[in-house]
Amino acid sequence: MATSQRRDQPLTLGTAGHIDHGKTALINALTGKNTDRLPEERSRGISIELGYAPLTLPSGRQLSVVDVPGHERFVRTMVAGASGVDLFLMCVAADDGVMPQTREHLAVLRQLGVNAGVVAVTKADTGAPELVVEEVSELLPGVETVRVSALERTGLHELLAALDRAAEGLTGRASDDGPARLHLDRSFTLRGIGTVVTGTLWSGSIGQGDNVRVLPRGLSARVRSVQVHDQPVERAAAGQRVALNLVGVGWRDLGRGDVVTSPDADLAPTYLIDAALSLEPGARPLERGTRVHIHHGTREAPARVVPLGGPGYAQLRLEAPLVPLPGDRLIVRQLAPPDTVGSGVMIDAHPRKHRASPEVVERLGALERGEQPLAEAPPAEPAQGEPEEPPPLDKAALQIASLLRSDGTEPRTDNDLAEAAGLSGAEAADRLRRLVAAGQAVRVGRNLHFHPEPLAELEARVIALCERNGSATIATVRDELGTSRKYAQALLEHLDGTKVTRRIGDEHKLRAR
């Protein structure tokens, strides 16, 4: 492909790096846009959610920037943001050097196959930038490093030129002729407009007037209008950050992890995946029945691993649905302690449940090479002592998850959830247990569950309160969050129970890490 054609194709740039290493400040200096949109992000100076901005390189090439949080508690959010990027901007502070999240973010990028990028040694007006340059060169040999200071506005032109060189050989996703796939990261409503969803378009295109499906629930909608970085367009191409105004669905029915696709696309939710896994250096082998988190697009699901033999072949038995296609990359993270242990390439999105055998290895090898296998794999046989797999999430469970997500920071009680979903108390309790096992709900208190995303936001705000005041009480949390005493008390008890804080009298203090 000619250089001029490549430059016409949009790319997505993802930031990476440890907390407080200046990612958001640098993007603000480059684009003039502060990607921290939440009030608590701006007041505290820490990113909690994904942020977005457009960036034009000196060559004229357009980049969509995804700014990710660097805090260790938000690695799952970082993975969701990194899943659609084409190149990275790794930020390492001159006064801090390479830190734990520097390495974990790098592991995520490596496992996603994102190898092109630039390292910015930030805060170069402080510390010892020359030492950090040497440290980074050992960690990322061959990757261009630029010293910058967002505060002094030095090195910005050199950084833009370096990003241009890194993007030079990348073709982007616009040439992908696959079905339209928009992995959502936000859903909200605007007065006079209605439901709006945003995400990175992985493949295909989406235009005004298109009919679409939203998976995994299979909802139908129509696209009223399309925007790319706040600019209206008739049709968005793959590789772009896209906002859709949808008709026929409520914003509360949609959220991060859902996939917007064309009605005729050969896409369907799955609870079984055959994949070729590769582990990080030093990671322990994944034995049969090992429980892990699988990240795909902006969605994640707990799963049990069943090794199948061959070059890392394994069946992933999911506890919540994913919507992948062959060739998609997956991130594998262990549950406790949370850490990125490897990745996978999806081979078969709808296999039978089967055991390890030479026939399975032969079949997966043929599929991986793009050949038609001769025979179906033999069915699975129950293994003695293998942990029992929880039942998959049905429509009722997904409906409760949608209600929790729409309730946000003040969810209704379990009894109210049951009534809203048209279920008995026992049926709702069963679905909530499934959602907790699938990582799509967190029990907080005796009769209260939160969706993980708003709960993580609340946790971050309470942690910030403790760091600022030395401790938190029910009253101070109630006032800080603008909520009721009931929610403040439940949240503090949850943080005590998860060992984030420790109660001393009426005060709750952060535990030492």
Side-chain angles (χ1 to χ4, degrees), residues 285-331:
L286 298 175
E287 300 176 351
R288 185 183 180 99
T290 301
R291 197 161 178 261
V292 295
H293 258 300
I294 304 298
H295 295 255
H296 171 260
T298 55
R299 196 172 189 85
E300 61 180 278
R304 294 201 183 272
V305 179
V306 178
L308 299 176
Y313 293 147
Q315 185 163 91
L316 304 172
R317 299 178 180 176
L318 306 169
E319 299 171 19
L322 296 179
V323 191
L325 281 179
D328 285 356
R329 285 186 173 267
L330 316 166
I331 292 293

Side-chain angles (χ1 to χ4, degrees), residues 9-191:
Q9 294 194 352
L11 297 174
T12 301
L13 171 73
T15 64
H18 199 76
I19 183 174
D20 200 32
H21 278 205
K23 298 183 293 296
T24 301
L26 182 56
I27 296 303
N28 194 0
L30 290 173
T31 67
K33 182 173 181 178
N34 185 351
T35 56
D36 281 347
R37 55 185 171 79
L38 301 177
E40 56 269 27
E41 290 180 313
R42 298 195 177 198
S43 64
R44 188 182 172 193
I46 175 178
S47 297
I48 297 171
E49 273 293 345
L50 300 172
Y52 310 98
L55 175 63
T56 302
L57 297 178
S59 65
R61 192 161 195 179
Q62 300 294 315
L63 299 184
S64 293
V65 180
V66 179
D67 185 28
V68 306
H71 197 287
E72 62 180 342
R73 296 183 67 83
F74 304 127
V75 173
R76 292 162 64 180
T77 304
M78 180 271 169
V79 176
S83 64
V85 307
D86 302 295
L87 71 164
F88 63 82
L89 175 58
M90 176 68 74
C91 296
V92 184
D95 60 350
D96 221 1
V98 172
M99 297 290 284
Q101 297 318 119
T102 313
R103 298 183 184 278
E104 182 159 21
H105 285 197
L106 178 59
V108 170
L109 293 168
R110 180 170 55 242
Q111 297 295 352
L112 286 172
V114 183
N115 300 313
V118 176
V119 177
V121 176
T122 56
K123 307 181 185 180
D125 52 326
T126 65
E130 63 282 353
L131 297 179
V132 176
V133 169
E134 292 181 11
E135 188 179 18
V136 166
S137 298
E138 294 179 5
L139 187 66
L140 284 161
V143 175
E144 191 168 354
T145 301
V146 181
R147 305 180 195 188
V148 297
S149 170
L151 182 63
E152 300 291 334
R153 300 191 63 82
T154 57
L156 300 182
H157 294 297
E158 292 82 355
L159 178 58
L160 289 171
L163 287 171
D164 230 341
R165 288 188 288 272
E168 180 68 30
L170 302 179
T171 58
R173 300 170 182 262
S175 57
D176 190 334
D177 58 357
R181 284 198 292 168
L182 182 69
H183 289 261
L184 303 187
D185 44 49
R186 288 185 68 202
S187 172
F188 52 95
T189 185
L190 294 176
R191 181 175 297 177

Side-chain angles (χ1 to χ4, degrees), residues 168-235:
E168 180 68 30
L170 302 179
T171 58
R173 300 170 182 262
S175 57
D176 190 334
D177 58 357
R181 284 198 292 168
L182 182 69
H183 289 261
L184 303 187
D185 44 49
R186 288 185 68 202
S187 172
F188 52 95
T189 185
L190 294 176
R191 181 175 297 177
I193 294 177
T195 300
V196 178
V197 296
T198 65
T200 299
L201 189 57
W202 275 29
S203 60
S205 65
I206 295 182
Q208 182 178 347
D210 287 358
N211 293 317
V212 295
R213 280 191 307 154
V214 186
L215 300 173
R217 293 180 62 188
L219 303 175
S220 297
R222 181 175 59 83
V223 179
R224 175 183 286 160
S225 61
V226 184
Q227 288 191 349
V228 175
H229 286 303
D230 301 327
Q231 298 300 314
V233 297
E234 288 189 9
R235 182 161 291 273

